[in-house]
Amino acid sequence: MLRSKDLLGIKELRKEEILLLLNTARAFKEVLQRDIKKVPTLRGRTVVNLFFEPSTRTRTSFELAAKRLSTDVINFSAPTSSLVKGESLLDTALTVQALGADIVVIRHGSAGVPHMLARVLRASVINAGDGTNEHPTQALLDAFTILQHKKAIEGLKVAIVGDVLHSRVAKSNIYCLGKLGAQVRLIGPATLVLKAFEALGTEVFYSMEEGLRGVDVVMTLRLQLERQGRGYFPSTEEYFQKWGLTRERLSLASPEVLVMHPGPMNRGIEIASEVADGPESVILEQVTNGLAVRMAVMYHLEEMKKA
Ligand code: CP
């Protein structure tokens, strides 16, 4: 059983809670492989997607996961809402709750917004990405995808490459993989991969050639140009030359290496197309697995409230 009505971050989860969600996701993945992919598990519940930043994978995946669980789904559009008339985010969320929302899925550019809403709403709040803080369902689907290919996460060497500084995906993965016993390496320029991240139990490398040697999984991160000022690196061309995941660099990893990327990808900037589309890539599997993982999260949050 989860201990909270909300999923705000992996930092707040215990290892047993992560394993519970991953095990339940396995059961939902089986459901999704049937002819009839819908279950009545959350019939009568209402899920509201509040996305204040762009999203393709996460928003559509939450919507489809909620529909597969037989909930009613409302997709809130910030630009056409009363927010533009000056209504506060809190009043918007309380309005959505007054309409009967049981689960509010929120993505926002500011860290801590889901935490603020969780304190005032009776509904469950799921963090779908808050600024540079966390993106917990991405880390869960990443762990789930790794477990579809490897016996266990304990002891695996996982390299997270690129813009760790601005990446909520990296933060959630550092917590999740660490709790599951992986050895996490961070690779990238010193401006984007701070030595201070070693305090989170990681190893920092400033050379792709050293960091990638023998790793079982490589997660490449999108360069978050929208969150960066100038001066983190000279140009995207030079970034690719030094930090891009190329086939030559990938050959330094384990022969059974998995290549992952949370998306959206910048081909030719953080990853070469031939690697993104190569036999080691599980990038589209990550997207597919997001559905089962998000079903598991919504199911367990509702179970927690019933208890
Ligand atoms: N991985 C991820 O969060 O992708 P979207 O921004 O498309 O939701």
Side-chain angles (χ1 to χ4, degrees):
M1 176 84 56
L2 296 181
R3 291 172 304 136
S4 168
K5 73 172 179 63
D6 310 296
L7 177 64
L8 301 176
I10 301 292
K11 193 176 183 179
E12 290 88 356
L13 290 184
R14 291 186 180 152
K15 179 179 176 182
E16 308 85 75
E17 293 176 290
I18 296 171
L19 294 175
L20 175 70
L21 291 169
L22 297 179
N23 281 335
T24 306
R26 202 172 304 131
F28 280 127
K29 181 151 182 168
E30 280 172 31
V31 169
L32 293 170
Q33 284 160 350
R34 295 182 196 154
D35 279 351
I36 296 170
K37 298 173 173 55
K38 206 161 173 167
V39 285
T41 319
L42 295 187
R43 191 160 49 202
R45 309 292 211 294
T46 302
V47 175
V48 178
N49 276 326
L50 287 180
F51 277 63
F52 294 88
E53 280 194 333
S55 170
T56 298
R57 279 146 284 267
T58 314
R59 201 199 60 73
T60 51
S61 172
F62 266 112
E63 179 175 354
L64 195 52
K67 286 179 173 166
R68 295 284 188 245
L69 291 167
S70 302
T71 74
D72 295 316
V73 187
I74 298 168
N75 289 310
F76 171 90
S77 162
T80 56
S81 75
S82 288
L83 279 165
V84 294
K85 299 180 197 162
E87 186 166 63
S88 72
L89 171 62
L90 183 55
D91 283 330
T92 302
L94 288 168
T95 302
V96 159
Q97 178 170 265
L99 289 168
D102 297 289
I103 298 177
V104 174
V105 180
I106 180 156
R107 169 170 289 190
H108 200 280
S110 298
V113 166
H115 306 67
M116 182 272 285
L117 291 187
R119 282 194 290 274
V120 294
L121 296 183
R122 285 186 311 280
S124 293
V125 176
I126 302 177
N127 181 359
D130 64 324
T132 60
N133 179 41
E134 279 224 42
H135 189 350
T137 56
Q138 180 69 44
L140 291 169
L141 74 87
D142 290 342
F144 183 85
T145 304
I146 295 172
L147 283 171
Q148 296 275 294
H149 292 269
K150 309 278 183 193
K151 284 196 193 78
I153 288 181
E154 176 99 42
L156 288 183
K157 293 189 187 80
V158 182
I160 302 179
V161 182
D163 187 0
V164 177
L165 183 64
H166 300 98
S167 174
R168 51 200 179 204
V169 173
K171 313 289 173 9
S172 287
N173 264 301
I174 290 168
Y175 295 129
C176 189
L177 293 165
K179 287 179 193 211
L180 297 177
Q183 296 169 30
V184 180
R185 300 176 177 190
L186 307 178
I187 314 174
T191 47
L192 297 173
V193 180
L194 310 184
K195 198 75 181 155
F197 292 146
E198 286 190 338
L200 299 173
T202 65
E203 243 186 307
V204 167
F205 291 83
Y206 294 119
S207 149
M208 284 288 266
E209 285 66 27
E210 282 175 34
L212 289 176
R213 207 167 290 279
V215 298
D216 302 290
V217 179
V218 188
M219 283 184 187
T220 314
L221 301 172
R222 182 174 70 85
L223 264 185
Q224 309 233 345
L225 296 170
E226 76 278 20
R227 296 191 212 281
Q228 296 179 5
R230 296 168 73 88
Y232 286 95
F233 50 88
S235 67
T236 49
E237 290 78 12
E238 284 191 42
Y239 183 88
F240 182 71
Q241 274 178 21
K242 196 132 196 256
W243 307 106
L245 188 62
T246 58
R247 181 140 290 290
E248 189 185 359
R249 287 185 174 134
L250 189 62
S251 68
L252 298 166
S254 153
E256 284 85 40
V257 69
L258 300 178
V259 171
M260 306 180 79
H261 193 304
M265 270 187 289
N266 292 307
R267 290 170 183 259
I269 296 181
E270 65 254 2
I271 189 166
S273 266
E274 60 174 351
V275 175
D277 302 328
E280 304 87 353
S281 172
V282 292
I283 293 169
L284 291 176
E285 271 182 57
Q286 289 173 262
V287 178
T288 305
N289 290 334
L291 209 50
V293 165
R294 290 176 175 123
M295 286 171 81
V297 167
M298 288 190 272
Y299 167 74
H300 278 294
L301 292 179
E302 286 305 297
E303 283 297 291
M304 189 275 160
K305 284 189 287 187
K306 274 200 290 188

